Amino acid sequence: MVLFPDAGYELGAGYPFEFLHERVLEFCDEQHMTCADLRPAFAEVKNRTTLWADALDPHPSPSANAIAAIRIVKTFETTWLDAAREFSGTNR
């Protein structure tokens, strides 16, 4: 599961969807699911409008998608590699 924050809002302590992120992360823990929360990585960006598609559209920009891709790979690469090894019958 990947939590993709709404960069149309401040991503710090006042983020209006923080409670949703917390509940989903709790659920992931309860279910022993790997979950990537992109909010901390996005919150590091000083000018959050650079995460927007354009000045009027807070949908993810190429920059936001690049940040997301890196975080997703870092979070899931071990799981994916283990699954690929299991599928191919190798355990290196």
Side-chain angles (χ1 to χ4, degrees):
M1 174 157 323
V2 177
L3 292 168
F4 214 111
D6 186 341
Y9 298 92
E10 288 294 331
L11 299 172
Y15 182 60
F17 305 114
E18 181 174 3
F19 72 99
L20 292 173
H21 282 247
E22 289 173 359
R23 297 308 173 272
V24 171
L25 291 171
E26 288 172 11
F27 179 79
C28 288
D29 283 343
E30 290 168 5
Q31 300 300 314
H32 307 287
M33 290 174 48
T34 302
C35 187
D37 185 358
L38 302 178
R39 186 171 149 221
F42 281 21
E44 291 177 8
V45 176
K46 300 282 186 235
N47 179 0
R48 72 176 163 47
T49 61
T50 63
L51 301 171
W52 296 7
D54 65 45
L56 301 175
D57 183 358
H59 282 89
S61 68
S63 175
N65 282 304
I67 292 168
I70 291 167
R71 179 77 171 111
I72 289 166
V73 168
K74 284 182 179 180
T75 300
F76 294 101
E77 70 182 329
T78 301
T79 302
W80 293 336
L81 290 172
D82 290 347
R85 287 185 190 111
E86 185 176 320
F87 180 75
S88 68
T90 61
N91 287 322
R92 297 182 228 177

